Amino acid sequence: MSATPVTTVMPVISASRRRGAMRLLSVVAFGSLALTGCGEGKEPTDPADPTAVAASTGRTPASTGRTPWAGTKQFVTVDKAWAEGGLTYLSVRPAEKKVNTRFDTWEIIPGTGAFTTVTMTKDARVLLTAPVRGDDASGAGRGEPLPSSQAEFVTLLTQLDPGTAAGVGYDLSFDGQGRVAKLQTLYRP
């Protein structure tokens, strides 16, 4: 009995199907990232109140005296920013971000409820994209985050049209004491 060679048939995937599959995988990956970074779509009315946090997130904060956002990353909208006594303050509310595959950009879904005041650390990093930083950054694309000072951020935010400002989202990183250690705007065309 002689052995017959086995021929493997490899399906041929067209380039357009491969691109479509990659787009789908990208959407799923970005969607997963957005969902993990947006506070699960639930928001505390007062992050300093552990009972409000436990009720809105289903998680009980550690009894270490830390604020609920300490050591976390949150996606928020900012109502206003101001400097007082050498510190920068932000009035924030959790929000959601979703990938808009039709235009390869983000869709920001503002949260509801009260805004909460948070403090920035004195050395907090501020990275701005358009529309907050404007279009006049030489040699940089509008979506490229560029470093800025906290004072410049406060000035730029107050100069934005209220409708535009309401549609901008921010990724905030909090330190172990619940202060903002990094703020980065999400690019919006």
Side-chain angles (χ1 to χ4, degrees):
M1 184 174 241
S2 68
T4 308
V6 177
T7 314
T8 309
V9 176
M10 300 277 282
V12 178
I13 300 175
S14 69
S16 64
R17 282 192 166 197
R18 211 170 320 138
R19 281 192 301 270
M22 290 306 292
R23 283 188 192 128
L24 179 61
L25 288 173
S26 296
V27 168
V28 170
F30 282 124
S32 297
L33 289 173
L35 289 176
T36 59
C38 67
E40 299 175 359
K42 300 175 185 172
E43 54 198 346
T45 56
D46 180 6
D49 178 8
T51 56
V53 173
S56 66
T57 63
R59 291 176 273 157
T60 306
S63 59
T64 61
R66 298 182 336 167
T67 61
W69 289 343
T72 67
K73 292 181 181 181
Q74 298 290 321
F75 182 73
V76 301
T77 54
V78 176
D79 182 45
K80 59 185 172 182
W82 67 98
E84 184 178 296
L87 295 173
T88 303
Y89 298 90
L90 307 171
S91 178
V92 303
R93 176 169 56 195
E96 288 184 61
K97 58 184 173 181
K98 292 184 179 180
V99 175
N100 182 340
T101 57
R102 185 172 174 199
F103 300 109
D104 292 327
T105 185
W106 293 99
E107 178 182 346
I108 287 111
I109 301 156
T112 57
F115 282 89
T116 302
T117 300
V118 294
T119 308
M120 295 183 76
T121 62
K122 290 189 179 201
D123 61 344
R125 290 188 64 208
V126 177
L127 300 168
L128 303 178
T129 61
V132 177
R133 73 155 200 252
D135 294 331
D136 59 351
S138 62
R142 294 177 45 138
E144 182 180 347
L146 297 178
S148 178
S149 70
Q150 292 180 31
E152 185 178 15
F153 167 65
V154 169
T155 301
L156 290 170
L157 184 65
T158 57
Q159 292 174 352
L160 276 180
D161 170 77
T164 302
V168 176
Y170 301 82
D171 283 313
L172 302 183
S173 297
F174 289 86
D175 69 4
Q177 297 175 340
R179 298 173 301 178
V180 178
K182 180 182 174 190
L183 174 147
Q184 182 169 344
T185 61
L186 193 65
Y187 169 65
R188 290 279 314 274

